[in-house]
Amino acid sequence: MKTASPAERFSSPLWRDKALAASALAEMTGLAAQAAALKGGSVNFMEVCGTHTMAIAASGMRRLFPKELRMLSGPGCPVCVTSQGDIDRVLALAAVPGVIITTFGDMLKVKGSKGLDLHAMRERGSDVRVVYSPLDAVALAQAEPGRQVVFIGVGFETTAPVIGGAVARAKKLGLKNFSSTAFFKLVPPALELLLSDPENRIHGFMLPGHVSAIIGLEPYKFVAEKYKVPCVVTGFEPLDILTGINMLLRQVVSGKPSVEDEYFRVVHAAGNPVAQKLLSEVFTVTAASWRAIGTVKATGLGFSRVYAGFDAIKRFKIPYEDAPEPKGCRCGAILLGKALPPDCPLFGKACTPSSAVGPCMVSSEGACAAWFKYGG
Ligand code: SF4
Ligand code: SF4
């Protein structure tokens, strides 16, 4: 038997095979009817990850889902969950004279509470540069010893090890002119926040593939055991998603919630121990400020004592102030699974990708951007 090469395993056309997709959808129709009957007429699953939102929208599969199934977007886009107060702190850093701000491109157009974004700050004279890796920012700090270089670190357990690695490298190099923000959020506490809301109507979680590749399966066990909510770690190809939904539906129908791994070609039960070790060295669990939720203890990562000197917020003494959401924007409700983008009165009218009002329309992983581009 021919063994599939790694490239074939990860991007095989089988993951997009029409006949297999049709058979998965046929199975879904029967399962969704049974699951919905048990859940009062409809069954709601949340795709926690922004890339799942984009993949569902881009494939057009939502239109083929059985009418009883609703896929809700969750708090899985790193840009969208960053609180308005933290966006304001990013803009305050950009206003510090002489500082070079380095960032991934997604952060450029997220507006602060005064209507400015990093793009506008650049037009006003701030030195804001897009980089493709935080290591590029470290290299820039080496090349510009007379300037302070700040990397805008936001995201989840996926981006944190990459940024942690860059900070560890800066420490090894003895760089005194490199620092980063650590606006990192943790996915398992986010799930607990959602589930502890008595108004939540989530019957299952499609769990993020990349985050799970780092943290493994164990941190999700409480969802199935304490809250009795099914979980399936799912990949990003169309058949991954259809299979993941069917696995969730089977758990609902059987009444036996558990944490399953559809994406086992990438995600292992123990996660990535090397990345976990790096995370525990560079960061420590701390309070985090979430859009629409507020500041919640033990839901994020900040710098550990050993790496505290690399915290840009402390170095430049930038205070935190709560700031309101953009007027009329429903990103908060969307992130909590309480609304879909078309429920927002600004969607596609005052708010489009070229003149975004809220972060869910700005980010490449944002739910509003996905619905606008692909129609849901
Ligand atoms: S970083 Fe990866 S796992 Fe997290 S939201 Fe983005 S795509 Fe999903
Ligand atoms: S459409 Fe725009 S204003 Fe409405 S929720 Fe989405 S990002 Fe916010």
Side-chain angles (χ1 to χ4, degrees), residues 48-52 76-78 156 158-159 208-211 236 365:
V48 179
C49 159
T51 301
H52 280 143
C77 161
F156 293 95
T158 6
T159 37
H210 304 139
V211 164
F236 300 97
E365 292 182 3

Side-chain angles (χ1 to χ4, degrees), residues 187-188 191 207-208 211-212 215-224 233 259:
V187 167
L191 304 184
L207 294 174
V211 164
S212 307
I215 67 175
L217 305 184
E218 183 64 31
Y220 302 117
K221 289 268 165 71
F222 75 94
V223 177
V233 173
V259 181

Side-chain angles (χ1 to χ4, degrees), residues 328-331 334 341 344-348 351 356-362 368:
C329 174
R330 300 210 62 205
C331 279
I334 291 168
C344 173
L346 307 185
F347 177 77
C351 184
V357 175
C360 299
M361 189 61 94
V362 175
C368 297

Side-chain angles (χ1 to χ4, degrees), residues 69-222:
L69 172 68
R70 260 165 73 94
M71 292 300 294
L72 306 166
S73 297
C77 161
V79 175
C80 305
V81 294
T82 303
S83 71
Q84 203 65 13
D86 280 341
I87 299 292
D88 283 347
R89 291 210 283 190
V90 168
L91 298 170
L93 281 167
V96 176
V99 160
I100 302 174
I101 296 290
T102 54
T103 176
F104 294 142
D106 267 9
M107 287 297 285
L108 275 189
K109 288 192 173 174
V110 186
K111 287 190 172 55
S113 58
K114 297 195 173 63
L116 291 175
D117 54 26
L118 281 176
H119 204 263
M121 294 298 288
R122 185 154 67 184
E123 281 169 0
R124 291 173 172 217
S126 296
D127 192 344
V128 179
R129 306 186 194 183
V130 173
V131 290
Y132 294 100
S133 156
L135 285 174
D136 294 344
V138 174
L140 181 63
Q142 274 184 290
E144 297 260 14
R147 305 274 306 272
Q148 285 287 330
V149 176
V150 175
F151 183 78
I152 303 302
V154 302
F156 293 95
E157 293 93 332
T158 6
T159 37
V162 182
I163 296 164
V167 173
R169 178 160 172 75
K171 185 169 191 290
K172 206 168 168 192
L173 292 169
L175 290 179
K176 302 280 181 239
N177 64 329
F178 177 81
S179 59
S180 171
T181 60
F183 298 150
F184 300 115
K185 315 281 190 289
L186 297 170
V187 167
L191 304 184
E192 180 125 46
L193 283 173
L194 291 165
L195 291 170
S196 54
D197 177 350
E199 285 176 25
N200 97 78
R201 51 199 171 124
I202 301 162
H203 302 130
F205 284 111
M206 176 176 285
L207 294 174
H210 304 139
V211 164
S212 307
I214 304 291
I215 67 175
L217 305 184
E218 183 64 31
Y220 302 117
K221 289 268 165 71
F222 75 94

